[in-house]
Amino acid sequence: SQQGEEDPQALSIQEGENATMNCSYKTSINNLQWYRQNSGRGLVHLILIRSNEREKHSGRLRVTLDTSKKSSSLLITASRAADTASYFCATAFGAGTALIFGKGTTLSVSS
Amino acid sequence: GAGVSQSPSNKVTEKGKDVELRCDPISGHTALYWYRQSLGQGLEFLIYFQGNSAPDKSGLPSDRFSAERTGGSVSTLTIQRTQQEDSAVYLCASSLDVQAGENEQFFGPGTRLTVL
C-alpha cells in the first residue's frame, strides 16, 4: 500500500518559475526523502529531512516538513528545462524498515 | 566506483514462463531493495534484504515471486509462471544499511519486463 501521496500529479511551468510539490503521508515517520526519476528508470536521491526538522535546503531545493499535518513540500526555485522529471516522496516509519514511495509528481519545465 | 547494476535491462517473455532478474548492489552496501513500477505508477515495494536475510517479504504480490541474496551481495528476483500483469520495470536499490531508512538508496537502471 502507498504511504505517501504527492500532489499535484502533474505540473507544467515555464523556465525560471518556481515549482512546488506536496506530499502527504499517513503514519508517524522517522524521516522523509525526495527522489527524482528521469525517463522511467532509476531514481536519484535529492534530499532527506528528519522528523525533528522543519526545513532543509540543498541548492535550488527547499523541503519543508509539517509532522502535525503529516505533509511535506518540495520547492524547486528558478526551474530549468533539465528539471523535467518525476519527483517522489518516500517515508521511513520505523527502525529496520524500507522506504515507502508515493506515486509521484510529473514536472514539465518548458523553455 | 560502480553503481547498482541490473540485468537484463530488458526482458520479453511469454506468459507462463519463469524469469530471473539480477541485481548487483554497490560493494559494501548491506541493504538491498526490490521495487516494481508499472507504467505511470509509483514504486511498489516488494522485498528488502539486510545481509542475506529478508525481514520483510510482505510486498511480494504472490507466491510466484521469490527473491534471494547470497554472500551479502548479488540478489535475484524470480517470477514463476509469469502473467501479463507482471509487466513492469523492476528496480533494485542498495544502501549502507536499512536502519530507519536513514540512508540514501542508490537505484539501478531497472529491468523492463514485458510478458506477452
Side-chain angles (χ1 to χ4, degrees), chain B residues 74-91:
Chain B
V74 173
S75 175
T76 55
L77 176 69
T78 301
I79 309 173
Q80 296 177 309
R81 304 181 303 282
T82 53
Q83 303 293 313
Q84 288 182 333
E85 61 262 28
D86 298 334
S87 296
V89 176
Y90 289 81
L91 292 161

Side-chain angles (χ1 to χ4, degrees), chain B residues 42-55:
Chain B
L43 273 72
E44 176 187 8
F45 167 73
L46 298 178
I47 188 172
Y48 82 88
F49 290 89
Q50 181 67 13
N52 291 335
S53 65

Side-chain angles (χ1 to χ4, degrees), chain A residues 3 10 12 21 41 46 48 52-53 60-61 66 84 87 97 100 102:
Chain A
Q3 161 76 327
S12 293
M21 289 160 270
R41 288 290 185 158
L46 294 176
L48 178 153
N52 61 353
E53 297 175 313
R60 293 184 296 112
L61 305 180
D66 187 337
T84 295
Y87 293 82
T97 63
I100 303 298

Side-chain angles (χ1 to χ4, degrees), chain A:
Chain A
S1 62
Q2 299 286 351
Q3 161 76 327
E5 292 288 337
E6 288 90 345
D7 169 62
Q9 290 186 342
L11 181 61
S12 293
I13 59 174
Q14 298 287 320
E15 261 193 332
E17 294 181 337
N18 295 341
T20 299
M21 289 160 270
N22 303 296
C23 169
S24 59
Y25 56 92
K26 299 174 184 175
T27 62
S28 296
I29 60 172
N30 284 347
N31 66 67
L32 185 145
Q33 302 183 32
W34 284 90
Y35 284 78
R36 166 195 167 123
Q37 183 180 39
N38 288 82
S39 305
R41 288 290 185 158
L43 280 73
V44 175
H45 180 264
L46 294 176
I47 196 166
L48 178 153
I49 186 166
R50 293 184 173 80
S51 59
N52 61 353
E53 297 175 313
R54 292 296 168 259
E55 188 170 313
K56 205 161 184 180
H57 296 253
S58 176
R60 293 184 296 112
L61 305 180
R62 181 173 77 98
V63 170
T64 62
L65 179 64
D66 187 337
T67 53
S68 66
K69 296 181 179 178
K70 291 186 170 58
S71 68
S72 173
S73 68
L74 170 67
L75 169 68
I76 304 174
T77 60
S79 62
R80 305 165 182 168
D83 294 328
T84 295
S86 292
Y87 293 82
F88 295 87
C89 68
T91 52
F93 50 93
T97 63
L99 291 176
I100 303 298
F101 286 79
K103 293 185 178 180
T105 292
T106 299
L107 173 66
S108 176
V109 182
S110 52
S111 54

Side-chain angles (χ1 to χ4, degrees), chain B:
Chain B
V4 177
S5 62
Q6 292 185 246
S7 61
S9 56
N10 286 284
K11 176 72 176 178
V12 179
T13 190
E14 293 180 348
K15 178 182 172 181
K17 296 283 181 69
D18 298 351
V19 295
E20 262 192 11
L21 312 180
R22 177 186 169 109
C23 173
D24 282 271
I26 292 173
S27 177
H29 280 192
T30 60
L32 184 148
Y33 314 79
W34 284 100
Y35 298 90
R36 177 169 75 171
Q37 186 175 32
S38 300
L39 186 63
Q41 298 295 310
L43 273 72
E44 176 187 8
F45 167 73
L46 298 178
I47 188 172
Y48 82 88
F49 290 89
Q50 181 67 13
N52 291 335
S53 65
D56 186 356
K57 302 179 181 180
S58 63
L60 294 177
S62 74
D63 59 8
R64 295 186 295 105
F65 287 72
S66 63
E68 66 174 12
R69 189 180 185 194
T70 55
S73 181
V74 173
S75 175
T76 55
L77 176 69
T78 301
I79 309 173
Q80 296 177 309
R81 304 181 303 282
T82 53
Q83 303 293 313
Q84 288 182 333
E85 61 262 28
D86 298 334
S87 296
V89 176
Y90 289 81
L91 292 161
C92 174
S94 70
S95 67
L96 281 174
D97 66 57
V98 78
Q99 290 303 313
E102 276 283 326
N103 295 288
E104 173 184 352
Q105 292 189 18
F106 293 82
F107 281 80
T111 293
R112 185 178 300 278
L113 174 66
T114 303
V115 182
L116 302 177

